[in-house]
Amino acid sequence: MSDQQRPDRDYREVNFDGLVGPTHNYAGLALGNVASMSHGGLVANPREAALQGLAKMKALMDAGYLQGVLPPQQRPDLGALRALGFTGSDERVLARAAGDAPQILRAVCSASSMWTANAATVTPSPDAPDGRVHFTPANLQSSFHRFLEPATTGRVLAAIFRDEARFAHHPVLPATPAFSDEGAANHTRLAGGHGDAGVHLFVYGREAFGWGSETLPAPKRFPARQTLEASQAVARQHGLAESQTVFAQQHPEAIDAGVFHNDVIAVGNGPVLLYHEMAFLDEAGTLEALRERMSTPLIPVRIPLEAVSLEDAVGSYLFNSQLLSNPDGSMTLVVPGECQENESVWRTVQDHLLAGANPIGEVVVKDVKQSMRNGGGPACLRLRVVLGAEERGALAGRVLLDDALHGELTAWVERHYRDRLAPEDLADPALARETLVALDELSGILEIGSVYPFQLG
Ligand code: SUG
């Protein structure tokens, strides 16, 4: 599409953060996610978690970035328990699950939809042949608690990005291991500016089909979540051509060290790709493929193993940062507080990032510890959607953060959330009731209509 056809050149990135749900807890559900595995069983503080998320959103809004918000999901998912054979009243279903299958109860209570980087893959309109913004909710089939998310995610995205002339919604990929899809966490768009034509880097952990793929290097300890076939299918759905895509295999040793998504070891924005030496199996080939396709010079910012070990990368979540564009062409990196607590990581931030020849001019530290204990840093908590001014004007609902919405959401959290949630509290029928009341009110605040199973009947 030519610029004449598309007069709207004011493209901006909107970060849609997931609001942490009232059942946020530590259940140790995610194999290969070191933080989740080591914090399972701890007492969580859902109120603090939600307020930390809202504080991050507000800080970025105040700094001039466009900030959106996506609602949490209905948990406990009693429908999932019923599908697994638990019957009777809601109280009985919860009590029986708590007694017979406590790990299943924990899974259906997870507030994991807060990590909206896994909600979907998004292609902005300048890259799509039909000039619309394309969405595919991720099937998240690699874990039961996350596999429960895509149905509601699809409804929420369709409710907000409602205008069919501007937004296209694709079906979730078949929820089977061959098409295992974890969404935007394994997808990076590189472009000159947000409104320029982009190149899409899809990072996968394994190949499902193809002769000889079983001989490819594979992780030995932890599962590879994303498949090449899933990434290719999403690119196909969105109409991306070969000249717009690069598919790169994640380094199996990184997966075995706890890098369960690419966004735990790399982050891109505009023409900048900040990555760890061990991010890609074929580092040189990946950069070369990107350079061949990009119409603007790639700016790689490489962090070598000798500066930051894989263990420190995973422990600090340095790469799970938000890299944001500023009007003067500089970029701001929003890192989790854990980076400051790690000496070699913090030194790398000063010497390598801030003092290096790259556009990163500022590092902002945010405390999202409640989410971090489950392996969710600042970048996990947000879904990036690049939108033109008209597309932003076409958003339905009240989902772009301003002071009034921030105030209402903060008061809503303070009204409804507990400040203590231990695994044994998940069977409390009062928690399920409190959650429904809170979510019903929230869908009113956000003006998104009926998106929850309890509202759909
Ligand atoms: O899928 N943790 C999430 C964290 C997702 C982070 N997202 C990105 N990297 N984009 C996961 O592993 C843990 C839940 C628990 O153990 O209670 C969890 O699901």
Side-chain angles (χ1 to χ4, degrees):
M1 193 181 278
S2 74
D3 277 5
Q4 230 173 354
Q5 282 168 289
R6 195 192 307 109
D8 177 2
R9 298 295 303 154
D10 176 24
Y11 281 87
R12 305 237 348 236
E13 177 179 278
V14 186
N15 280 280
F16 283 87
D17 277 45
L19 195 50
V20 178
T23 59
H24 160 63
N25 72 95
Y26 299 119
L29 297 172
L31 177 64
N33 169 343
V34 176
S36 156
M37 289 164 69
S38 61
H39 293 119
L42 282 190
V43 175
N45 184 336
R47 175 187 303 212
E48 186 178 59
L51 294 178
Q52 284 174 347
L54 278 165
K56 168 168 97 74
M57 294 185 226
K58 166 109 165 80
L60 295 188
M61 174 191 86
D62 286 343
Y65 306 106
L66 291 180
Q67 183 65 55
V69 60
L70 293 177
Q73 301 209 353
Q74 182 184 332
R75 299 289 181 270
D77 188 335
L78 290 164
L81 290 181
R82 289 182 190 283
L84 294 173
F86 296 102
T87 54
S89 65
D90 289 355
E91 287 73 11
R92 189 163 154 70
V93 165
L94 284 169
R96 284 196 50 205
D100 298 355
Q103 207 49 21
I104 294 179
L105 176 63
R106 290 181 188 195
V108 304
C109 288
S110 177
S112 53
S113 69
M114 73 176 86
W115 301 299
T116 52
N118 306 117
T121 306
V122 184
T123 294
S125 57
D127 302 343
D130 65 357
R132 295 192 292 170
V133 185
H134 288 248
F135 299 84
T136 302
N139 61 31
L140 295 174
Q141 67 85 49
S142 51
S143 55
F144 170 59
H145 69 293
R146 302 219 64 182
F147 159 83
L148 301 174
E149 296 174 38
T152 298
T153 299
R155 280 195 295 274
V156 168
L157 293 176
I160 295 169
F161 302 95
R162 196 176 297 170
D163 182 350
E164 284 176 21
R166 292 187 167 85
F167 307 119
H169 297 275
H170 298 279
V172 176
L173 299 183
T176 190
F179 294 103
S180 180
D181 179 21
E182 301 266 325
N186 293 320
H187 168 247
T188 307
R189 176 178 186 257
L190 295 153
H194 290 314
D196 297 332
V199 170
H200 297 253
L201 172 62
F202 289 89
V203 181
Y204 61 92
R206 66 186 163 90
E207 265 182 61
F209 300 128
W211 301 116
S213 64
E214 61 280 359
T215 60
L216 290 175
K220 297 184 177 61
R221 194 170 164 221
F222 292 140
R225 296 197 193 178
Q226 183 88 25
T227 65
L228 169 62
E229 289 80 356
S231 300
Q232 288 170 330
V234 171
R236 231 175 355 251
Q237 285 183 332
H238 294 200
L240 295 173
E242 220 185 298
S243 59
Q244 296 173 287
T245 52
V246 173
F247 298 93
Q249 188 178 343
Q250 204 178 353
H251 207 300
E253 283 176 41
I255 296 178
D256 279 340
V259 180
F260 55 97
H261 290 137
N262 177 60
D263 71 2
V264 176
I265 197 144
V267 57
N269 179 55
V272 175
L273 181 62
L274 166 60
Y275 71 99
H276 188 276
E277 174 183 349
M278 295 294 286
F280 312 111
L281 184 58
D282 179 5
E283 179 189 354
T286 303
L287 297 190
E288 192 186 307
L290 287 171
R291 285 193 176 107
E292 267 171 21
R293 288 163 179 76
M294 286 171 67
S295 51
T296 187
L298 173 73
I299 307 177
V301 182
R302 177 185 198 261
I303 304 297
L305 195 55
E306 64 195 32
V308 175
S309 67
L310 277 176
E311 197 189 348
D312 283 346
V314 170
S316 69
Y317 259 39
L318 169 62
F319 298 89
N320 200 261
S321 302
Q322 292 181 246
L323 188 54
L324 303 166
S325 299
N326 300 318
D328 66 359
S330 71
M331 293 190 192
T332 294
L333 191 72
V334 181
V335 304
E338 284 72 2
C339 290
Q340 227 169 359
E341 292 157 20
N342 181 310
E343 208 192 307
S344 64
V345 168
W346 198 238
R347 200 177 331 114
T348 300
V349 166
Q350 308 306 321
D351 300 352
H352 216 101
L353 297 184
L354 286 172
N358 65 66
I360 304 170
E362 183 191 26
V363 170
V364 171
V365 179
K366 284 282 146 234
D367 175 11
V368 288
K369 219 175 215 55
Q370 285 284 329
S371 166
M372 280 287 287
R373 289 197 191 115
N374 258 338
C380 300
L381 286 161
R382 60 92 172 97
L383 179 67
R384 302 198 271 190
V385 188
V386 168
L387 295 169
E390 291 170 12
E391 290 158 354
R392 295 195 297 275
L395 293 178
R398 188 173 163 232
V399 291
L400 290 184
L401 201 71
D402 55 20
D403 281 326
L405 182 58
H406 175 263
E408 280 177 56
L409 291 175
T410 302
W412 172 80
V413 168
E414 281 165 352
R415 250 192 331 274
H416 294 286
Y417 280 49
R418 299 187 181 191
D419 59 8
R420 199 197 130 82
L421 207 54
E424 57 275 17
D425 298 326
L426 299 173
D428 179 1
L431 178 69
R433 287 194 295 270
E434 287 161 27
T435 301
L436 294 193
V437 172
L439 294 184
D440 208 27
E441 202 178 306
L442 179 68
S443 41
I445 296 174
L446 298 179
E447 298 170 12
I448 49 170
S450 299
V451 291
Y452 294 116
F454 77 93
Q455 296 170 322
L456 298 169

